[in-house]
C-alpha cells in the first residue's frame, strides 16, 4: 500500500527549494486525503453545496489534478491516453464503484507517480504538455499548492458540516 512521505514543511527549512516544494505539497496531499478518514460512505458522498463538490469528489478531483500536472504536463500524453476526464468538472463525478478506500488509494498512487515524475527535474525545467504551453516546474508546483490549499479549505468546511449534523 502506498503512503504519503512523513516529511513536513518544518523538516525542510534548510533544504533546497525542490525539497521544500515537495514537502509543502505533500502536507496538503496528505491532509486532503485524510479528510475522508473515519467517515461513512454516505457521509463522504453527501452533497452540501449546489455544485458536484463532495468530500469524496474533492479527493477524486485531486487525483485528476495530479495526473494533469504531473503526467499530462510532463509526458505530453493526452488526457484520453492517461484515462482522465477532459474537463475539471467531470473529475468530481462519482461512479458507483467509487468508495473511500478506492478513491484514497487512487489518490495516493497518483501522488506517488507525481513525485516520481518530478524527482529528476529541476525547478526551472519546462513542462511542455499543458494547454498553456511550456511552464517551469516551479510554476506548476505553486499552482498545485494553491489548488490543494483551496481544496483542503473546502474539505475542512464540508467535514465540519457533516460531523456537526450527526
Amino acid at each position: 500500500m502506498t503512503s504519503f512521505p512523513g516529511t513536513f514543511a518544518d523538516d525542510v527549512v534548510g533544504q533546497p527549494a525542490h525539497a521544500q516544494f515537495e514537502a509543502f505539497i505533500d502536507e496538503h496531499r496528505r491532509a486532503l486525503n485524510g479528510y475522508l478518514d473515519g467517515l461513512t460512505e454516505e457521509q463522504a458522498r453527501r452533497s452540501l453545496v449546489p455544485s458536484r463538490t463532495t468530500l469524496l469528489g474533492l479527493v477524486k478531483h485531486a487525483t485528476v489534478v495530479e495526473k494533469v500536472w504531473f503526467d499530462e504536463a510532463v509526458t505530453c500524453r493526452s488526457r484520453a491516453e492517461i484515462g482522465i476526464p477532459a474537463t475539471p468538472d467531470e473529475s468530481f463525478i462519482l461512479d458507483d464503484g467509487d468508495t473511500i478506500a478506492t478513491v484514497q488509494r487512487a489518490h495516493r498512487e497518483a501522488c506517488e507517480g507525481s513525485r516520481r515524475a518530478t524527482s529528476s527535474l529541476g525547478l526551472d525545467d519546462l513542462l511542455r504538455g499543458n494547454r498553456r504551453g511550456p511552464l517551469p516546474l516551479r510554476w506548476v508546483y505553486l499552482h498545485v499548492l494553491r489548488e490543494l490549499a483551496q481544496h483542503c479549505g473546502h474539505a475542512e468546511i464540508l467535514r465540519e458540516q457533516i460531523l456537526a449534523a450527526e
Side-chain angles (χ1 to χ4, degrees), residues 138-151:
R138 178 185 320 272
W139 186 94
V140 171
Y141 274 157
L142 289 168
H143 176 81
V144 169
L145 182 58
R146 176 181 63 188
E147 184 157 348
L148 288 171
Q150 289 172 337
H151 291 324

Side-chain angles (χ1 to χ4, degrees), residues 1-2 120 139 160 166:
M1 178 170 157
T2 59
S120 65
W139 186 94
E160 182 179 319
E166 300 302 312

Side-chain angles (χ1 to χ4, degrees), residues 78-134:
S78 72
R79 292 179 186 198
E81 289 175 278
I82 297 167
I84 57 175
T87 67
D89 286 345
E90 293 173 85
S91 66
F92 285 91
I93 298 172
L94 298 173
D95 301 322
D96 290 342
D98 289 329
T99 66
I100 292 170
T102 63
V103 169
Q104 282 183 314
R105 182 174 51 254
H107 180 244
R108 285 190 306 269
E109 289 170 357
C111 294
E112 185 176 296
S114 297
R115 284 189 293 277
R116 276 193 313 273
T118 58
S119 65
S120 65
L121 299 176
L123 293 177
D124 296 322
D125 286 350
L126 294 179
L127 308 185
R128 301 189 181 282
N130 187 266
R131 62 180 170 78
R132 290 175 177 88

Side-chain angles (χ1 to χ4, degrees), residues 3-153:
S3 63
F4 293 101
T7 307
F8 293 88
D10 286 347
D11 300 331
V12 295
V13 171
Q15 292 189 17
H18 193 278
Q20 292 177 358
F21 277 116
E22 286 284 339
F24 273 83
I25 290 170
D26 276 335
E27 275 190 18
H28 286 78
R29 288 168 171 156
R30 185 174 36 249
L32 185 59
N33 193 289
Y35 282 115
L36 293 172
D37 291 346
L39 297 180
T40 66
E41 296 295 333
E42 183 278 325
Q43 289 171 321
R45 288 175 168 270
R46 192 176 296 168
S47 178
L48 298 170
V49 294
S51 70
R52 291 181 172 150
T53 305
T54 63
L55 275 172
L56 194 62
L58 275 171
V59 178
K60 185 174 181 179
H61 168 72
T63 302
V64 172
V65 167
E66 295 287 336
K67 292 179 179 185
V68 165
W69 289 108
F70 302 116
D71 191 338
E72 179 184 29
V74 173
T75 67
C76 300
R77 296 188 310 152
S78 72
R79 292 179 186 198
E81 289 175 278
I82 297 167
I84 57 175
T87 67
D89 286 345
E90 293 173 85
S91 66
F92 285 91
I93 298 172
L94 298 173
D95 301 322
D96 290 342
D98 289 329
T99 66
I100 292 170
T102 63
V103 169
Q104 282 183 314
R105 182 174 51 254
H107 180 244
R108 285 190 306 269
E109 289 170 357
C111 294
E112 185 176 296
S114 297
R115 284 189 293 277
R116 276 193 313 273
T118 58
S119 65
S120 65
L121 299 176
L123 293 177
D124 296 322
D125 286 350
L126 294 179
L127 308 185
R128 301 189 181 282
N130 187 266
R131 62 180 170 78
R132 290 175 177 88
L135 295 167
L137 178 60
R138 178 185 320 272
W139 186 94
V140 171
Y141 274 157
L142 289 168
H143 176 81
V144 169
L145 182 58
R146 176 181 63 188
E147 184 157 348
L148 288 171
Q150 289 172 337
H151 291 324
C152 281

